Amino acid sequence: MCGIVGYTGKSSAAEFLLNGLEKLEYRGYDSAGIAVLHDKSFEISKTIERIETLFAQTSNGNNIKGSLGIGHTRWATHGAPSLENSHPHLSNDRKFAVVHNGIIENYSVLKQELIDDGFQFTSETDTEVIPMLLQKYYKGDIKAAVTATLKKLEGSFALGIICADSPETLIAAKRFSPLILGIGENCNLVASDVTALVSHTKNVIYLEDGETAFLTPASVEIYDSEGAMANKRISVIDWDISSAQKSGYDHFMMKEIMEQPDCVKKTLESYNKNGEITLGNIKLTEQKLKKINKIEIVACGSAYHAGAVGKYVLEELLRIPVNVELASEFRYRNPIIDSNTLTVVISQSGETADSLAALKEAKKMGSHILAVVNVVGSSIAKAADDVLYTRAGPEIAVATTKGYSTQLIVLYLLGIWAANILGTANKEQLKALNDELPLIPQKISKILSQKSLIQDIAQDFANAKSIFFIGRNIDYAVSLEASLKLKEISYIHSEAYAAGELKHGTISLIEDGTPVVALCGCKRLHDKTLSNIKEVGARGARVLACVADRDFNFKDDKIKTLNFPATNPLLIASLEVIPFQLLAYYVALQNGCDIDKPRNLAKSVTVE
Ligand code: M6R
């Protein structure tokens, strides 16, 4: 979704802004622009194409002089993608330039008031009211104008503001949309996402809701919502610059797929000290845990699919009912929740609007909130009672891979940790899981080392109109993810079905040659899934079955098989998903799709 960058320093602002916007491209956008202050006026460059067009338009930034500026990638909400609607937006007197993430809910009322005051609007955006309000309230004191303007705004925002009268001041304001300050040498920066900052600095300050920052190259002043000076801690990001670069891969997605053994290992190791699982100083004490009688898992997209696996694992280990639900449904359902409910919110970005809203809803009802999050300091991490971080590092490709894989690991660890305390699983079962977990990274590596096999299989799928994924139990949960991965990047229609449910309707869609992928990792349900394979086979389906080594012999030449290494039945998702990430990648590659930035999608969905 939208992205913000801002620079105040001694060097070229345009250079930082363009490079920063390039780092934010992965979030998804349909237009972009920068404004740099030079000789008391703004130089603007905008595009409705890719950031590379901005580079070209400005000769890599060299044509735009000045060392104070703001930039933006826009994902259209109010008004189509167009140059007029793209940010930065200017006040009528061209003294203020503004970039904005979020939605100003009362913009139409404000716009009418401003029109009545004589202001002229050139865009359809909600954002444009902000520079006009700044102009209206500006009487020579920028701070006063910003304060008066922010008071008028309802909704969510992260703002970057510059004023032609103040050649060194970069202003940042946050309410409900993420915004981070980068503390550099001879420069200070603003970005909506740390990936835009890591190449310049690792020292950051996370703004809180209601805070406003005034930055110059040498100073940082932050005020809280009451106008009092806020004392903020500088955090050091542990992501390095290489994590935001492709490092020789053609796409971030492939790089991130290949990083999974390492990320899974790091995640395991951060919660496993000398063979013992420890979740750190979490507030979910033994006493509290013992009172939990229900677990709600809420999330969106792939994080929801990780939760779907978590349901099977946690119910098996804890014997506590687990409900997994899409955050967008949960938040408007009036769920039955109290202080004995544990709500687990899963989110790679930690900024997904629906997941955050669901979290707040559950919290209001007294539930203990445990978040499984990748991005340190993100909104969901901050709003939760406890956070278990995944150690995936920055995930740039829109299609999540390592984010999902590390979420699974945290859910397993949570299950084993809680089962140990509650005594709900037998010691041998827990030991078997503990012994197997450290082997998962090398087993993932083994699958990855045979990726060319999957590249070959992808050829059979590239021309398909529709593909079905079927499975039972954890296989079904993985089918959901396999299907999403394929459709989001290859644009081929696909559906995931519980294998036993097919004959209740969907089987009517199976015709001669329809590809059906049967996930058969759950050994105890092999015979059941095999019956479903036979049902679709009898109707002409081309079946590809995914099975664990040594487990399954189809004795049927028509069924192609894809093997993954055998593992503990509760951990199969971690291995079974890998071939399907690769399959989606290679099908999309073959079909010439934009793998890292699939059409219409954004990496982090910060609107509901
Ligand atoms: O950042 P989150 O984990 O909260 O994001 C949730 C979904 O938007 C995300 O998983 C999405 O479905 C991905 N594009 C899937 O690859």
Side-chain angles (χ1 to χ4, degrees), residues 470-473 475 498-503 518-520 522-536 552 554:
I470 60 171
R472 290 168 179 262
N473 198 271
D475 289 328
E501 182 65 14
L502 267 186
K503 53 183 150 317
L519 283 78
C520 309
C522 278
K523 198 170 177 181
R524 73 189 166 87
L525 296 171
H526 273 176
D527 292 346
K528 303 285 169 199
T529 310
L530 186 54
S531 307
N532 305 126
I533 291 176
K534 295 281 181 204
E535 286 160 9
V536 290
F552 211 170
F554 288 95

PDB file of all heavy atoms in Angstrom, residues 470-473 475 498-503 518-520 522-536 552 554:
ATOM      1  N   ILE A 470      -6.447 -30.357  -3.041  1.00  0.00           N
ATOM      2  CA  ILE A 470      -7.286 -31.034  -2.046  1.00  0.00           C
ATOM      3  C   ILE A 470      -6.420 -31.679  -0.965  1.00  0.00           C
ATOM      4  O   ILE A 470      -5.264 -32.044  -1.207  1.00  0.00           O
ATOM      5  CB  ILE A 470      -8.223 -32.088  -2.683  1.00  0.00           C
ATOM      6  CG1 ILE A 470      -7.408 -33.185  -3.403  1.00  0.00           C
ATOM      7  CG2 ILE A 470      -9.215 -31.436  -3.637  1.00  0.00           C
ATOM      8  CD1 ILE A 470      -8.278 -34.362  -3.855  1.00  0.00           C
ATOM      9  N   GLY A 471      -6.979 -31.790   0.208  1.00  0.00           N
ATOM     10  CA  GLY A 471      -6.263 -32.434   1.306  1.00  0.00           C
ATOM     11  C   GLY A 471      -7.183 -32.538   2.502  1.00  0.00           C
ATOM     12  O   GLY A 471      -8.260 -31.937   2.524  1.00  0.00           O
ATOM     13  N   ARG A 472      -6.752 -33.308   3.476  1.00  0.00           N
ATOM     14  CA  ARG A 472      -7.516 -33.448   4.714  1.00  0.00           C
ATOM     15  C   ARG A 472      -6.651 -33.017   5.886  1.00  0.00           C
ATOM     16  O   ARG A 472      -5.427 -33.145   5.834  1.00  0.00           O
ATOM     17  CB  ARG A 472      -7.946 -34.910   4.919  1.00  0.00           C
ATOM     18  CG  ARG A 472      -9.010 -35.364   3.943  1.00  0.00           C
ATOM     19  CD  ARG A 472      -9.183 -36.866   4.003  1.00  0.00           C
ATOM     20  NE  ARG A 472     -10.238 -37.281   3.066  1.00  0.00           N
ATOM     21  CZ  ARG A 472     -11.505 -37.519   3.423  1.00  0.00           C
ATOM     22  NH1 ARG A 472     -11.878 -37.419   4.679  1.00  0.00           N
ATOM     23  NH2 ARG A 472     -12.389 -37.874   2.508  1.00  0.00           N
ATOM     24  N   ASN A 473      -7.315 -32.497   6.927  1.00  0.00           N
ATOM     25  CA  ASN A 473      -6.592 -32.140   8.143  1.00  0.00           C
ATOM     26  C   ASN A 473      -5.482 -31.122   7.818  1.00  0.00           C
ATOM     27  O   ASN A 473      -5.735 -30.171   7.088  1.00  0.00           O
ATOM     28  CB  ASN A 473      -6.038 -33.444   8.748  1.00  0.00           C
ATOM     29  CG  ASN A 473      -5.634 -33.355  10.193  1.00  0.00           C
ATOM     30  OD1 ASN A 473      -4.493 -33.027  10.477  1.00  0.00           O
ATOM     31  ND2 ASN A 473      -6.531 -33.630  11.109  1.00  0.00           N
ATOM     32  N   ASP A 475      -3.149 -31.272   5.803  1.00  0.00           N
ATOM     33  CA  ASP A 475      -2.998 -31.184   4.339  1.00  0.00           C
ATOM     34  C   ASP A 475      -3.984 -30.172   3.756  1.00  0.00           C
ATOM     35  O   ASP A 475      -3.682 -29.486   2.784  1.00  0.00           O
ATOM     36  CB  ASP A 475      -3.278 -32.542   3.676  1.00  0.00           C
ATOM     37  CG  ASP A 475      -2.185 -33.546   3.957  1.00  0.00           C
ATOM     38  OD1 ASP A 475      -1.021 -33.138   4.091  1.00  0.00           O
ATOM     39  OD2 ASP A 475      -2.514 -34.748   4.038  1.00  0.00           O
ATOM     40  N   ALA A 498     -11.325 -29.134   1.095  1.00  0.00           N
ATOM     41  CA  ALA A 498     -11.173 -30.286   1.977  1.00  0.00           C
ATOM     42  C   ALA A 498     -11.537 -31.495   1.113  1.00  0.00           C
ATOM     43  O   ALA A 498     -12.616 -31.505   0.491  1.00  0.00           O
ATOM     44  CB  ALA A 498     -12.119 -30.152   3.157  1.00  0.00           C
ATOM     45  N   ALA A 499     -10.629 -32.468   1.041  1.00  0.00           N
ATOM     46  CA  ALA A 499     -10.802 -33.551   0.061  1.00  0.00           C
ATOM     47  C   ALA A 499     -12.162 -34.227   0.178  1.00  0.00           C
ATOM     48  O   ALA A 499     -12.780 -34.599  -0.819  1.00  0.00           O
ATOM     49  CB  ALA A 499      -9.668 -34.557   0.211  1.00  0.00           C
ATOM     50  N   GLY A 500     -12.662 -34.350   1.393  1.00  0.00           N
ATOM     51  CA  GLY A 500     -13.935 -35.037   1.599  1.00  0.00           C
ATOM     52  C   GLY A 500     -15.135 -34.194   1.182  1.00  0.00           C
ATOM     53  O   GLY A 500     -16.264 -34.692   1.122  1.00  0.00           O
ATOM     54  N   GLU A 501     -14.915 -32.940   0.917  1.00  0.00           N
ATOM     55  CA  GLU A 501     -16.010 -32.012   0.628  1.00  0.00           C
ATOM     56  C   GLU A 501     -16.292 -31.891  -0.873  1.00  0.00           C
ATOM     57  O   GLU A 501     -17.356 -31.428  -1.288  1.00  0.00           O
ATOM     58  CB  GLU A 501     -15.633 -30.640   1.222  1.00  0.00           C
ATOM     59  CG  GLU A 501     -16.643 -29.527   1.090  1.00  0.00           C
ATOM     60  CD  GLU A 501     -17.948 -29.762   1.846  1.00  0.00           C
ATOM     61  OE1 GLU A 501     -18.006 -30.659   2.705  1.00  0.00           O
ATOM     62  OE2 GLU A 501     -18.931 -29.056   1.533  1.00  0.00           O
ATOM     63  N   LEU A 502     -15.346 -32.361  -1.681  1.00  0.00           N
ATOM     64  CA  LEU A 502     -15.444 -32.204  -3.133  1.00  0.00           C
ATOM     65  C   LEU A 502     -16.780 -32.681  -3.691  1.00  0.00           C
ATOM     66  O   LEU A 502     -17.407 -32.022  -4.499  1.00  0.00           O
ATOM     67  CB  LEU A 502     -14.358 -33.043  -3.800  1.00  0.00           C
ATOM     68  CG  LEU A 502     -13.019 -32.404  -4.129  1.00  0.00           C
ATOM     69  CD1 LEU A 502     -12.203 -33.416  -4.903  1.00  0.00           C
ATOM     70  CD2 LEU A 502     -13.192 -31.137  -4.935  1.00  0.00           C
ATOM     71  N   LYS A 503     -17.165 -33.861  -3.228  1.00  0.00           N
ATOM     72  CA  LYS A 503     -18.361 -34.452  -3.845  1.00  0.00           C
ATOM     73  C   LYS A 503     -19.649 -33.759  -3.409  1.00  0.00           C
ATOM     74  O   LYS A 503     -20.726 -34.102  -3.841  1.00  0.00           O
ATOM     75  CB  LYS A 503     -18.432 -35.949  -3.601  1.00  0.00           C
ATOM     76  CG  LYS A 503     -18.328 -36.383  -2.165  1.00  0.00           C
ATOM     77  CD  LYS A 503     -18.340 -37.892  -2.120  1.00  0.00           C
ATOM     78  CE  LYS A 503     -17.581 -38.520  -0.979  1.00  0.00           C
ATOM     79  NZ  LYS A 503     -16.300 -37.967  -0.648  1.00  0.00           N
ATOM     80  N   ALA A 518      -3.241 -33.291  -5.022  1.00  0.00           N
ATOM     81  CA  ALA A 518      -3.717 -33.920  -3.791  1.00  0.00           C
ATOM     82  C   ALA A 518      -2.580 -33.928  -2.770  1.00  0.00           C
ATOM     83  O   ALA A 518      -1.509 -34.482  -3.023  1.00  0.00           O
ATOM     84  CB  ALA A 518      -4.180 -35.337  -4.080  1.00  0.00           C
ATOM     85  N   LEU A 519      -2.806 -33.272  -1.652  1.00  0.00           N
ATOM     86  CA  LEU A 519      -1.776 -33.241  -0.611  1.00  0.00           C
ATOM     87  C   LEU A 519      -2.017 -34.419   0.327  1.00  0.00           C
ATOM     88  O   LEU A 519      -3.099 -34.541   0.920  1.00  0.00           O
ATOM     89  CB  LEU A 519      -1.812 -31.904   0.140  1.00  0.00           C
ATOM     90  CG  LEU A 519      -1.188 -30.734  -0.630  1.00  0.00           C
ATOM     91  CD1 LEU A 519      -2.127 -30.210  -1.700  1.00  0.00           C
ATOM     92  CD2 LEU A 519      -0.794 -29.611   0.299  1.00  0.00           C
ATOM     93  N   CYS A 520      -1.034 -35.271   0.411  1.00  0.00           N
ATOM     94  CA  CYS A 520      -1.220 -36.519   1.159  1.00  0.00           C
ATOM     95  C   CYS A 520      -0.166 -36.667   2.251  1.00  0.00           C
ATOM     96  O   CYS A 520       0.428 -37.740   2.422  1.00  0.00           O
ATOM     97  CB  CYS A 520      -1.127 -37.716   0.222  1.00  0.00           C
ATOM     98  SG  CYS A 520      -2.162 -37.598  -1.228  1.00  0.00           S
ATOM     99  N   CYS A 522      -0.709 -36.342   5.504  1.00  0.00           N
ATOM    100  CA  CYS A 522      -1.276 -36.946   6.717  1.00  0.00           C
ATOM    101  C   CYS A 522      -1.412 -38.445   6.518  1.00  0.00           C
ATOM    102  O   CYS A 522      -2.378 -38.920   5.895  1.00  0.00           O
ATOM    103  CB  CYS A 522      -2.669 -36.381   6.988  1.00  0.00           C
ATOM    104  SG  CYS A 522      -2.636 -34.830   7.794  1.00  0.00           S
ATOM    105  N   LYS A 523      -0.466 -39.160   7.069  1.00  0.00           N
ATOM    106  CA  LYS A 523      -0.395 -40.585   6.805  1.00  0.00           C
ATOM    107  C   LYS A 523      -1.669 -41.319   7.226  1.00  0.00           C
ATOM    108  O   LYS A 523      -2.188 -42.168   6.499  1.00  0.00           O
ATOM    109  CB  LYS A 523       0.807 -41.151   7.553  1.00  0.00           C
ATOM    110  CG  LYS A 523       1.258 -42.481   7.058  1.00  0.00           C
ATOM    111  CD  LYS A 523       2.560 -42.849   7.681  1.00  0.00           C
ATOM    112  CE  LYS A 523       2.954 -44.239   7.205  1.00  0.00           C
ATOM    113  NZ  LYS A 523       4.200 -44.668   7.790  1.00  0.00           N
ATOM    114  N   ARG A 524      -2.188 -40.956   8.411  1.00  0.00           N
ATOM    115  CA  ARG A 524      -3.330 -41.722   8.923  1.00  0.00           C
ATOM    116  C   ARG A 524      -4.585 -41.525   8.063  1.00  0.00           C
ATOM    117  O   ARG A 524      -5.543 -42.269   8.178  1.00  0.00           O
ATOM    118  CB  ARG A 524      -3.592 -41.400  10.392  1.00  0.00           C
ATOM    119  CG  ARG A 524      -4.196 -40.054  10.642  1.00  0.00           C
ATOM    120  CD  ARG A 524      -4.224 -39.707  12.111  1.00  0.00           C
ATOM    121  NE  ARG A 524      -4.508 -38.297  12.260  1.00  0.00           N
ATOM    122  CZ  ARG A 524      -5.719 -37.779  12.308  1.00  0.00           C
ATOM    123  NH1 ARG A 524      -6.778 -38.558  12.245  1.00  0.00           N
ATOM    124  NH2 ARG A 524      -5.894 -36.486  12.422  1.00  0.00           N
ATOM    125  N   LEU A 525      -4.565 -40.527   7.167  1.00  0.00           N
ATOM    126  CA  LEU A 525      -5.744 -40.292   6.331  1.00  0.00           C
ATOM    127  C   LEU A 525      -5.501 -40.655   4.864  1.00  0.00           C
ATOM    128  O   LEU A 525      -6.311 -40.322   3.990  1.00  0.00           O
ATOM    129  CB  LEU A 525      -6.173 -38.823   6.447  1.00  0.00           C
ATOM    130  CG  LEU A 525      -6.639 -38.424   7.848  1.00  0.00           C
ATOM    131  CD1 LEU A 525      -6.845 -36.925   7.945  1.00  0.00           C
ATOM    132  CD2 LEU A 525      -7.928 -39.152   8.219  1.00  0.00           C
ATOM    133  N   HIS A 526      -4.386 -41.351   4.618  1.00  0.00           N
ATOM    134  CA  HIS A 526      -4.034 -41.699   3.238  1.00  0.00           C
ATOM    135  C   HIS A 526      -5.168 -42.375   2.489  1.00  0.00           C
ATOM    136  O   HIS A 526      -5.514 -42.003   1.374  1.00  0.00           O
ATOM    137  CB  HIS A 526      -2.829 -42.637   3.224  1.00  0.00           C
ATOM    138  CG  HIS A 526      -1.536 -41.904   3.221  1.00  0.00           C
ATOM    139  ND1 HIS A 526      -0.330 -42.530   3.285  1.00  0.00           N
ATOM    140  CD2 HIS A 526      -1.262 -40.585   3.150  1.00  0.00           C
ATOM    141  CE1 HIS A 526       0.626 -41.626   3.265  1.00  0.00           C
ATOM    142  NE2 HIS A 526       0.092 -40.442   3.191  1.00  0.00           N
ATOM    143  N   ASP A 527      -5.751 -43.377   3.123  1.00  0.00           N
ATOM    144  CA  ASP A 527      -6.763 -44.160   2.400  1.00  0.00           C
ATOM    145  C   ASP A 527      -7.953 -43.290   2.026  1.00  0.00           C
ATOM    146  O   ASP A 527      -8.538 -43.432   0.959  1.00  0.00           O
ATOM    147  CB  ASP A 527      -7.240 -45.341   3.258  1.00  0.00           C
ATOM    148  CG  ASP A 527      -6.121 -46.346   3.422  1.00  0.00           C
ATOM    149  OD1 ASP A 527      -5.132 -46.225   2.655  1.00  0.00           O
ATOM    150  OD2 ASP A 527      -6.208 -47.201   4.318  1.00  0.00           O
ATOM    151  N   LYS A 528      -8.271 -42.381   2.953  1.00  0.00           N
ATOM    152  CA  LYS A 528      -9.412 -41.492   2.702  1.00  0.00           C
ATOM    153  C   LYS A 528      -9.096 -40.576   1.520  1.00  0.00           C
ATOM    154  O   LYS A 528      -9.910 -40.400   0.612  1.00  0.00           O
ATOM    155  CB  LYS A 528      -9.716 -40.634   3.943  1.00  0.00           C
ATOM    156  CG  LYS A 528      -9.981 -41.439   5.179  1.00  0.00           C
ATOM    157  CD  LYS A 528     -11.345 -42.058   5.124  1.00  0.00           C
ATOM    158  CE  LYS A 528     -11.500 -43.093   6.237  1.00  0.00           C
ATOM    159  NZ  LYS A 528     -12.606 -44.018   5.979  1.00  0.00           N
ATOM    160  N   THR A 529      -7.900 -39.986   1.548  1.00  0.00           N
ATOM    161  CA  THR A 529      -7.557 -39.061   0.463  1.00  0.00           C
ATOM    162  C   THR A 529      -7.444 -39.822  -0.852  1.00  0.00           C
ATOM    163  O   THR A 529      -7.826 -39.322  -1.914  1.00  0.00           O
ATOM    164  CB  THR A 529      -6.235 -38.322   0.791  1.00  0.00           C
ATOM    165  OG1 THR A 529      -6.336 -37.802   2.104  1.00  0.00           O
ATOM    166  CG2 THR A 529      -5.972 -37.170  -0.172  1.00  0.00           C
ATOM    167  N   LEU A 530      -6.924 -41.051  -0.767  1.00  0.00           N
ATOM    168  CA  LEU A 530      -6.801 -41.859  -1.978  1.00  0.00           C
ATOM    169  C   LEU A 530      -8.174 -42.069  -2.633  1.00  0.00           C
ATOM    170  O   LEU A 530      -8.310 -41.975  -3.861  1.00  0.00           O
ATOM    171  CB  LEU A 530      -6.139 -43.202  -1.646  1.00  0.00           C
ATOM    172  CG  LEU A 530      -5.826 -44.092  -2.833  1.00  0.00           C
ATOM    173  CD1 LEU A 530      -4.984 -43.360  -3.880  1.00  0.00           C
ATOM    174  CD2 LEU A 530      -5.098 -45.356  -2.390  1.00  0.00           C
ATOM    175  N   SER A 531      -9.199 -42.281  -1.815  1.00  0.00           N
ATOM    176  CA  SER A 531     -10.548 -42.439  -2.394  1.00  0.00           C
ATOM    177  C   SER A 531     -10.930 -41.182  -3.144  1.00  0.00           C
ATOM    178  O   SER A 531     -11.523 -41.237  -4.224  1.00  0.00           O
ATOM    179  CB  SER A 531     -11.607 -42.662  -1.309  1.00  0.00           C
ATOM    180  OG  SER A 531     -11.220 -43.710  -0.497  1.00  0.00           O
ATOM    181  N   ASN A 532     -10.600 -40.034  -2.582  1.00  0.00           N
ATOM    182  CA  ASN A 532     -10.948 -38.767  -3.250  1.00  0.00           C
ATOM    183  C   ASN A 532     -10.147 -38.588  -4.530  1.00  0.00           C
ATOM    184  O   ASN A 532     -10.656 -38.054  -5.516  1.00  0.00           O
ATOM    185  CB  ASN A 532     -10.731 -37.575  -2.315  1.00  0.00           C
ATOM    186  CG  ASN A 532     -11.492 -37.723  -1.014  1.00  0.00           C
ATOM    187  OD1 ASN A 532     -10.933 -37.640   0.071  1.00  0.00           O
ATOM    188  ND2 ASN A 532     -12.788 -38.006  -1.123  1.00  0.00           N
ATOM    189  N   ILE A 533      -8.897 -39.075  -4.512  1.00  0.00           N
ATOM    190  CA  ILE A 533      -8.082 -39.012  -5.733  1.00  0.00           C
ATOM    191  C   ILE A 533      -8.739 -39.859  -6.825  1.00  0.00           C
ATOM    192  O   ILE A 533      -8.848 -39.465  -7.987  1.00  0.00           O
ATOM    193  CB  ILE A 533      -6.639 -39.501  -5.443  1.00  0.00           C
ATOM    194  CG1 ILE A 533      -5.915 -38.497  -4.535  1.00  0.00           C
ATOM    195  CG2 ILE A 533      -5.861 -39.729  -6.734  1.00  0.00           C
ATOM    196  CD1 ILE A 533      -4.529 -38.924  -4.102  1.00  0.00           C
ATOM    197  N   LYS A 534      -9.200 -41.034  -6.405  1.00  0.00           N
ATOM    198  CA  LYS A 534      -9.852 -41.928  -7.378  1.00  0.00           C
ATOM    199  C   LYS A 534     -11.103 -41.266  -7.954  1.00  0.00           C
ATOM    200  O   LYS A 534     -11.394 -41.363  -9.144  1.00  0.00           O
ATOM    201  CB  LYS A 534     -10.254 -43.249  -6.708  1.00  0.00           C
ATOM    202  CG  LYS A 534      -9.064 -44.058  -6.231  1.00  0.00           C
ATOM    203  CD  LYS A 534      -8.414 -44.788  -7.370  1.00  0.00           C
ATOM    204  CE  LYS A 534      -7.239 -45.629  -6.885  1.00  0.00           C
ATOM    205  NZ  LYS A 534      -6.262 -45.908  -7.924  1.00  0.00           N
ATOM    206  N   GLU A 535     -11.859 -40.578  -7.077  1.00  0.00           N
ATOM    207  CA  GLU A 535     -13.099 -39.925  -7.538  1.00  0.00           C
ATOM    208  C   GLU A 535     -12.809 -38.894  -8.634  1.00  0.00           C
ATOM    209  O   GLU A 535     -13.491 -38.849  -9.652  1.00  0.00           O
ATOM    210  CB  GLU A 535     -13.790 -39.194  -6.368  1.00  0.00           C
ATOM    211  CG  GLU A 535     -14.478 -40.112  -5.385  1.00  0.00           C
ATOM    212  CD  GLU A 535     -14.714 -39.437  -4.030  1.00  0.00           C
ATOM    213  OE1 GLU A 535     -14.492 -38.208  -3.912  1.00  0.00           O
ATOM    214  OE2 GLU A 535     -15.104 -40.153  -3.100  1.00  0.00           O
ATOM    215  N   VAL A 536     -11.766 -38.064  -8.406  1.00  0.00           N
ATOM    216  CA  VAL A 536     -11.492 -37.038  -9.427  1.00  0.00           C
ATOM    217  C   VAL A 536     -10.841 -37.671 -10.657  1.00  0.00           C
ATOM    218  O   VAL A 536     -11.102 -37.263 -11.791  1.00  0.00           O
ATOM    219  CB  VAL A 536     -10.641 -35.856  -8.892  1.00  0.00           C
ATOM    220  CG1 VAL A 536     -11.424 -35.015  -7.922  1.00  0.00           C
ATOM    221  CG2 VAL A 536      -9.328 -36.318  -8.291  1.00  0.00           C
ATOM    222  N   PHE A 552       3.757 -43.627   0.590  1.00  0.00           N
ATOM    223  CA  PHE A 552       2.566 -43.876  -0.202  1.00  0.00           C
ATOM    224  C   PHE A 552       2.976 -44.463  -1.544  1.00  0.00           C
ATOM    225  O   PHE A 552       3.820 -43.931  -2.236  1.00  0.00           O
ATOM    226  CB  PHE A 552       1.884 -42.515  -0.443  1.00  0.00           C
ATOM    227  CG  PHE A 552       0.389 -42.581  -0.551  1.00  0.00           C
ATOM    228  CD1 PHE A 552      -0.355 -41.409  -0.553  1.00  0.00           C
ATOM    229  CD2 PHE A 552      -0.279 -43.780  -0.661  1.00  0.00           C
ATOM    230  CE1 PHE A 552      -1.734 -41.431  -0.653  1.00  0.00           C
ATOM    231  CE2 PHE A 552      -1.652 -43.810  -0.762  1.00  0.00           C
ATOM    232  CZ  PHE A 552      -2.381 -42.639  -0.754  1.00  0.00           C
ATOM    233  N   PHE A 554       1.113 -45.364  -4.976  1.00  0.00           N
ATOM    234  CA  PHE A 554      -0.192 -45.301  -5.625  1.00  0.00           C
ATOM    235  C   PHE A 554      -0.462 -46.478  -6.552  1.00  0.00           C
ATOM    236  O   PHE A 554      -1.587 -46.781  -6.865  1.00  0.00           O
ATOM    237  CB  PHE A 554      -0.315 -44.004  -6.424  1.00  0.00           C
ATOM    238  CG  PHE A 554      -0.456 -42.813  -5.549  1.00  0.00           C
ATOM    239  CD1 PHE A 554       0.637 -42.063  -5.198  1.00  0.00           C
ATOM    240  CD2 PHE A 554      -1.691 -42.465  -5.050  1.00  0.00           C
ATOM    241  CE1 PHE A 554       0.504 -40.969  -4.379  1.00  0.00           C
ATOM    242  CE2 PHE A 554      -1.833 -41.372  -4.234  1.00  0.00           C
ATOM    243  CZ  PHE A 554      -0.729 -40.627  -3.897  1.00  0.00           C
TER     244      PHE A 554
END
